[in-house]
Amino acid sequence: FRDEIHQTLDSLKAMPQKIQWVLDTQPPRVTKAAEQLADANSFLFLGRHVGYPVALEGALKLKEIAYTFTEGFAAGELKHGPIALVDEGEPVVFIVPPERGRNILHAKVISGIEEVKARGAFIIAVAEEGDKDVERYADIIFWRPQCPTLMSPLVDVVPLQAELFQAVADGVVHRFTGGFNGFQGGMPPYFTVTLRSSGQRRLPWRPGAQSTSSGPAAARSG
């Protein structure tokens, strides 16, 4: 047990670097998603195993910020109702587990992607870097670096909770300025965005943060 404890602690200590990797590499993909989905009226989030609470969290945050119909479901329940909500162009977000050591779980999620893709869904996937099956079907992919499955939610929530992605239903046109600064120099990471409704704003990258007076919800109400 001692070896297992040390291995788990070492994996946990490595998570900040993996989260930083997402912050450093994935913003352009988040931007692409926001631009392509600016006119979407609803979203579905689906996940299995540890991906299910990530799907619920992603749906909740988008709903809170964008005030659009957004629901999270267990991917195993897809055939028992949620698939009826999928029309042509419907954005569906899948939290895909790594294939390493979880090949059956991975195959089931890929099967769900195939089903909604056949109905014309627009697929956004959060998946482990280099997943060929996801590349085959997804329209947009938010990559995660390799990490233990049980710790993957710590990484997966980052792009889903980004204020930039949450602003989709507000019709946001996104533009980065000054690069993406991460947490260097003691300054919080931020985006500069241009809102169609109210001009340029600076939005912080704060995973899990609620909407603030400078956020898209405030821009809508103002």
Side-chain angles (χ1 to χ4, degrees):
F1 292 114
R2 184 182 297 273
D3 291 342
E4 293 179 2
I5 292 174
H6 282 299
Q7 185 178 6
T8 300
L9 290 176
D10 288 342
S11 297
L12 190 59
K13 290 176 182 178
M15 294 311 295
Q17 292 180 340
K18 296 182 184 296
I19 292 172
Q20 187 64 55
W21 182 90
V22 174
L23 293 172
D24 291 340
T25 63
Q26 299 308 291
R29 294 177 179 272
V30 175
T31 299
K32 181 180 179 181
E35 290 174 346
Q36 291 187 293
L37 301 174
D39 297 323
N41 296 316
S42 62
F43 295 80
L44 295 180
F45 285 71
L46 299 167
R48 280 180 176 266
H49 196 247
V50 295
Y52 175 42
V54 175
L56 293 178
E57 176 69 5
L60 175 63
K61 292 305 178 185
L62 183 57
K63 185 187 301 182
E64 286 178 339
I65 298 298
Y67 293 92
T68 188
F69 176 81
T70 307
E71 291 295 337
F73 295 96
E77 299 176 359
L78 181 63
K79 296 180 181 179
H80 304 287
I83 197 169
L85 301 174
V86 179
D87 294 322
E88 184 75 26
E90 175 74 21
V92 182
V93 181
F94 278 89
I95 314 302
V96 184
E99 189 173 10
R100 299 170 296 105
R102 302 276 179 177
N103 57 322
I104 295 178
L105 191 65
H106 178 270
K108 288 182 177 181
V109 175
I110 294 299
S111 176
I113 293 177
E114 291 174 337
E115 289 185 43
V116 298
K117 189 71 172 180
R119 296 176 69 97
F122 185 91
I123 306 296
I124 306 102
V126 180
E128 188 168 278
E129 189 180 18
D131 191 319
K132 299 299 183 183
D133 292 320
V134 172
E135 287 181 333
R136 186 178 302 119
Y137 297 108
D139 297 287
I140 293 176
I141 307 172
F142 298 151
W143 293 117
R144 82 169 75 87
Q146 286 192 10
C147 59
T149 299
L150 293 179
M151 296 185 187
S152 61
L154 298 174
V155 179
D156 292 345
V157 296
V158 176
L160 297 185
Q161 290 186 347
E163 297 249 5
L164 192 62
F165 185 55
Q166 291 167 359
V168 166
D170 222 354
V172 179
V173 177
H174 303 90
R175 179 166 55 85
F176 295 106
T177 61
F180 192 75
N181 71 320
F183 292 98
Q184 299 176 5
M187 290 185 61
Y190 65 86
F191 298 102
T192 298
V193 305
T194 300
L195 303 178
R196 291 175 185 165
S197 56
S198 60
Q200 191 175 90
R201 298 292 182 91
R202 176 175 288 189
L203 298 182
W205 177 287
R206 295 180 300 158
Q210 300 294 321
S211 176
T212 67
S213 60
S214 62
R220 178 173 51 253
S221 62

